[in-house]
Amino acid sequence: MTEKVIILDFGSQYTQLIARRVRELKVYCEILPFSKLPQITSDIKAVILSGSPFSVTDETSPRVDLDRLLGQVPVMGICYGAQLMVNHYGGTVMRSEKREYGKAHLDKHWADDVLLEGVPSGSQVWMSHGDTITKVPREFKLLAGTSQIDAAIYRSSNGNFAKPVYGLQFHPEVTHSEFGLKVLENFLYKIAECSGEWTPASFISEKVEELSTRVGTDGVLMGLSGGVDSTVAATLLHRAIGDQLICFFVDNGLLRKNEFEEVLDSYLDLGLQIVGIDAKDRFYRALQGISDPEDKRKAIGEEFVHVFQDEAAKLENIKWLGQGTIYPDVIESVSVHGPSVTIKSHHNVGGLPDQLHLKVVEPLNMLFKDEVREVGRALELPPHILNRHPFPGPGLGIRILGEVTPEKVRLLQQADAIFIGSLKTEGLYDKVWQAGTILLPVQSVGVMGDERTYEQVVALRAVNSRDGMTADWSELPHEFLSRVSSRIINEVKGINRVVYDISTKPPATIEWE
């Protein structure tokens, strides 16, 4: 990359959103933990300090060496980042009598500045802070305030730093800040002088050259899922190294109905070397007697390793394993303060088990989900692959709550095929980010004809999201849900009740396990 912006993460829930907005403005950026401040090299155009759930008034709050940073490149502190700079240079940051959260307006303008060009007086901003800047030190001057606070925006005074420094008490990255994107655009283009040339086409060109140099004449083995991430990653690798790439598509017995055959057919026109592997029985044996979600994920992951190990042994010159890891996986695997709490395993992050003896290559590990799709479009991949809903690596294994058996898989495959098929035939599939069916570990009483039934329950799950980090449940038409429910109950022997999941992420996750 010829230029980039560094975002130092202090633990804010909005840090990834800052990165998303910077990328939307065609500027490449990376998120690093606050403790990993890099040497400022010529390719770093600016640094953004994120918000944080911590208070700068706490002795244990996260800190960064501001004396080493400020003045080298333009810096913008957002919320906690702004308070941190004020606190460091002797200003006053106090605990608010009550947390300021929600809409405010920039109705006090203390000085004109290039940062506020195109931002009208009185424009709405979004506040989310428990501390308030009550006095800025002499190194800074106020630019704008709200009815509640004077220091909504400040900047460095002339001559105090070689490069301009800005602090924002509000969050420009959220859509509730009406001109927040304009503020970020002014900072990136007019203050940091970014060129804004980071596009899918430029990414492809740079990544293909990088992969070709890195891999050389070695062979690469990659597992495909039929989804957008692995397909885009494989296509980039194929452009870089051609037939040195060999792809496996493993039927682990946990795919959707007819998915093994359909996915293999979908790859016929992409020019990839693909080996289809039927390993259903191996995975069913590995999952026998296991009910705990984490144990199931680990068992599935370990069996994938064994399958790959056995199949790779039949090939020559394989030195690398390609993976479709994307940026949220990478970010979530790095804790701001230390080892992260495990939410769920089976992320494609980190090294491979030692027994594989392969190095990892991850072509997409700096892209968000929607960026992967944009790259896929630039690669001219077919829409039925690009628009395919995300599907979890462990497959139906984590959509069957409790122990996995072939009979439960059969039930779930049939119910899920009705749900997904109906979404497609009724024009709703592309309006939903992800959908799936979950087989619950409970039975319920029902009546079919004159007979009492005591059969399985399934939950339908459909969510709208941009990248999977947050998600809202999809408000599918009631008539549609009624038709799907009737079909599942009437057509799938063994299921007599259908429920609809209306949980958001957070606090719930998209998958149930």
Side-chain angles (χ1 to χ4, degrees), residues 396-429:
L396 299 182
I398 58 167
R399 292 184 178 176
I400 296 172
L401 275 59
E403 183 182 1
V404 176
T405 66
E407 175 59 21
K408 290 180 182 179
V409 171
R410 184 192 65 78
L411 276 179
L412 183 54
Q413 284 178 333
Q414 292 183 67
D416 187 71
I418 292 172
F419 183 32
I420 300 301
S422 298
L423 286 170
K424 291 178 178 178
T425 57
E426 299 199 26
L428 295 170
Y429 185 83

Side-chain angles (χ1 to χ4, degrees), residues 251-472:
D251 185 353
N252 60 359
L254 305 170
L255 302 175
R256 285 174 163 158
K257 186 177 180 181
N258 301 325
E259 188 171 24
F260 186 61
E261 296 78 14
E262 291 173 359
V263 169
L264 287 176
D265 288 344
S266 71
Y267 283 121
L268 287 177
D269 297 329
L270 298 184
L272 301 174
Q273 290 193 87
I274 301 180
V275 179
I277 301 167
D278 183 351
K280 293 191 291 291
D281 292 340
R282 292 183 59 161
F283 281 87
Y284 289 151
R285 285 195 299 270
L287 287 166
Q288 196 168 4
I290 299 176
S291 297
D292 180 78
E294 268 299 290
D295 291 342
K296 284 196 293 185
R297 285 176 173 270
K298 289 173 182 175
I300 293 167
E302 288 172 3
E303 195 57 39
F304 264 115
V305 170
H306 297 324
V307 170
F308 269 69
Q309 185 179 22
D310 293 345
E311 296 296 328
K314 304 173 185 177
L315 304 173
E316 296 181 357
N317 194 40
I318 299 296
K319 304 291 180 63
W320 299 82
L321 183 78
Q323 292 187 326
T325 310
I326 61 175
Y327 202 27
D329 297 335
V330 175
I331 296 168
E332 289 182 345
S333 71
V334 178
S335 172
V336 171
H337 277 284
S340 298
V341 173
T342 298
I343 297 175
K344 51 191 177 184
S345 300
H346 206 63
H347 280 284
N348 289 332
V349 180
L352 287 169
D354 294 338
Q355 62 265 38
L356 275 178
H357 304 295
L358 296 177
K359 295 174 284 187
V360 178
V361 57
E362 300 168 316
L364 309 178
N365 66 351
M366 299 307 292
L367 296 185
F368 289 101
K369 188 76 175 185
D370 56 326
E371 293 173 329
V372 175
R373 285 199 169 95
E374 289 299 317
V375 169
R377 291 187 185 95
L379 290 168
E380 299 182 343
L381 294 179
H384 70 269
I385 290 179
L386 288 180
N387 298 330
R388 184 176 185 262
H389 288 180
F391 189 62
L396 299 182
I398 58 167
R399 292 184 178 176
I400 296 172
L401 275 59
E403 183 182 1
V404 176
T405 66
E407 175 59 21
K408 290 180 182 179
V409 171
R410 184 192 65 78
L411 276 179
L412 183 54
Q413 284 178 333
Q414 292 183 67
D416 187 71
I418 292 172
F419 183 32
I420 300 301
S422 298
L423 286 170
K424 291 178 178 178
T425 57
E426 299 199 26
L428 295 170
Y429 185 83
D430 291 335
K431 297 179 181 180
V432 171
W433 191 80
Q434 183 175 356
T437 309
I438 299 93
L439 183 66
L440 305 185
V442 295
Q443 292 176 291
S444 73
V445 173
V447 177
M448 290 188 179
D450 293 326
E451 294 184 9
R452 175 186 184 275
T453 62
Y454 190 57
E455 296 178 337
Q456 300 292 135
V457 181
V458 293
L460 307 181
R461 178 77 157 141
V463 299
N464 292 329
S465 180
R466 289 192 63 182
D467 52 21
M469 302 309 300
T470 60
D472 292 321

Side-chain angles (χ1 to χ4, degrees), residues 37-50:
L37 175 64
Q39 292 294 324
I40 303 300
T41 51
S42 59
D43 60 331
I44 297 176
K45 303 290 287 186
V47 173
I48 296 175
L49 311 179
S50 84

Side-chain angles (χ1 to χ4, degrees), residues 12-68:
S12 170
Q13 61 178 325
Y14 295 130
T15 301
Q16 287 198 45
L17 192 53
I18 299 171
R20 294 293 304 281
R21 296 292 178 256
V22 172
R23 298 267 186 102
E24 284 176 19
L25 292 166
K26 298 181 179 180
V27 176
Y28 178 73
C29 64
E30 295 180 9
I31 298 173
L32 298 176
F34 72 92
S35 57
K36 303 293 184 183
L37 175 64
Q39 292 294 324
I40 303 300
T41 51
S42 59
D43 60 331
I44 297 176
K45 303 290 287 186
V47 173
I48 296 175
L49 311 179
S50 84
S52 176
F54 298 93
S55 168
V56 296
T57 61
D58 295 338
E59 291 184 4
T60 58
S61 61
R63 304 278 167 165
V64 67
D65 189 351
L66 292 173
D67 293 328
R68 181 165 74 88

